[in-house]
Amino acid sequence: DVKVTQSSRYLVKRTGEKVFLECVQDMDHENMFWYRQDPGLGLRLIYFSYDVKMKEKGDIPEGYSVSREKKERFSLILESASTNQTSMYLCASSYGWTGAYEQYFGPGTRLTVT
Amino acid sequence: DQQVKQNSPSLSVQEGRISILNCDYTNSMFDYFLWYKKYPAEGPTFLISISSIKDKNEDGRFTVFLNKSAKHLSLHIVPSQPGDSAVYFCAATMNYGGSQGNLIFGKGTKLSVKP
């Protein structure tokens, strides 16, 4: 059974703080993704990675960075948190081979920036 | 520009009746489509998918229909149950170059099934 875990379910941070969100998957997936979900806006892709050390910008990368030092771990970094980054953050992973489109999601981290 | 559109933000259905959730797309290069279900405070879970070479895929109470000429797909849930109450996301992807593996999501439709 695929498992994607995220380091925190709920997080409260202050404006200007550096925030780290961690994601770990146990299925040896090549691809990993970070999304944010906001009411009425659906799931928006922040960053993704096809391999260790690789990263690609998604649709809304501004204010975020990522790190993938190991295959199973993908970190999302908010360099200087702002109130407009209050959101639900979702990590996902998938196999890298052709035709393997299904992404498996973690439980999400509800981040509040005050 | 939205490539995947779910034009109904919400849908309310009586228990036991059919729920029909709709999704439209604009990119004719999309060749695989997925539906995800999301409960509050949980991550989305995969529900059902369909390849562009098919026009229907069925899994228990869930059936997805694809109309390529209309660039439209729909998810049918029969019979609807209160536990089906959730937000449903439609997603699309294409097996083309560097976009492989990326899903384009719609904004979601909140389904409420009333007892």
Side-chain angles (χ1 to χ4, degrees):
Chain A
D1 211 21
V2 177
K3 194 160 186 183
V4 180
T5 56
Q6 295 184 228
S7 50
S8 306
R9 294 299 302 272
Y10 300 93
L11 211 51
V12 180
K13 294 292 181 181
R14 297 203 172 191
T15 301
E17 277 193 84
K18 191 167 186 175
V19 182
F20 293 87
L21 302 182
E22 304 284 336
C23 175
V24 178
Q25 50 92 6
D26 66 357
M27 277 300 292
D28 203 33
H29 284 169
E30 287 76 18
N31 303 334
M32 296 190 75
F33 308 83
W34 274 106
Y35 296 88
R36 61 178 281 178
Q37 186 206 354
D38 300 288
L41 297 179
L43 289 121
R44 294 182 291 168
L45 183 63
I46 305 171
Y47 266 97
F48 58 99
S49 169
Y50 289 148
D51 202 351
V52 177
K53 305 279 188 187
M54 289 184 62
K55 59 185 178 184
E56 298 283 345
K57 292 180 180 179
D59 300 319
I60 50 164
E62 296 78 20
Y64 303 94
S65 62
V66 289
S67 172
R68 192 163 180 204
E69 296 296 318
K70 293 185 178 181
K71 189 175 185 179
E72 68 272 16
R73 189 179 295 269
F74 193 34
S75 303
L76 180 70
I77 303 149
L78 285 66
E79 298 290 343
S80 177
S82 63
T83 54
N84 63 12
Q85 292 179 310
T86 292
S87 185
M88 167 72 94
Y89 289 88
L90 294 158
C91 174
S93 68
S94 69
Y95 289 109
W97 59 66
T98 302
Y101 300 115
E102 184 184 339
Q103 291 182 13
Y104 299 84
F105 284 83
T109 297
R110 171 68 66 185
L111 172 67
T112 302
V113 182
T114 60
Chain B
D1 186 30
Q2 263 190 282
Q3 297 187 69
V4 178
K5 300 178 186 179
Q6 293 177 258
N7 292 319
S8 299
S10 63
L11 176 68
S12 184
V13 170
Q14 207 66 34
E15 181 179 5
R17 307 294 286 265
I18 184 171
S19 295
I20 300 176
L21 296 99
N22 293 304
C23 179
D24 297 295
Y25 61 96
T26 57
N27 192 336
S28 56
M29 296 288 289
F30 288 145
D31 57 9
Y32 199 83
F33 304 88
L34 306 89
W35 284 93
Y36 279 81
K37 174 179 178 179
K38 186 182 183 301
Y39 292 118
E42 292 184 16
T45 54
F46 170 74
L47 198 55
I48 192 169
S49 62
I50 188 166
S51 164
S52 60
I53 62 172
K54 294 185 174 182
D55 55 18
K56 177 182 173 181
N57 189 27
E58 195 170 352
D59 184 2
R61 295 186 298 114
F62 302 92
T63 303
V64 56
F65 295 92
L66 175 62
N67 182 336
K68 287 189 295 292
S69 60
K71 294 193 182 70
H72 177 84
L73 62 155
S74 60
L75 174 68
H76 292 212
I77 306 173
V78 184
S80 301
Q81 299 173 355
D84 296 329
S85 298
V87 177
Y88 289 79
F89 291 100
C90 171
T93 189
M94 65 184 95
N95 183 19
Y96 175 76
S99 69
Q100 180 189 329
N102 282 19
L103 299 178
I104 310 299
F105 285 89
K107 293 187 177 181
T109 296
K110 183 176 183 180
L111 174 65
S112 300
V113 181
K114 301 191 182 306

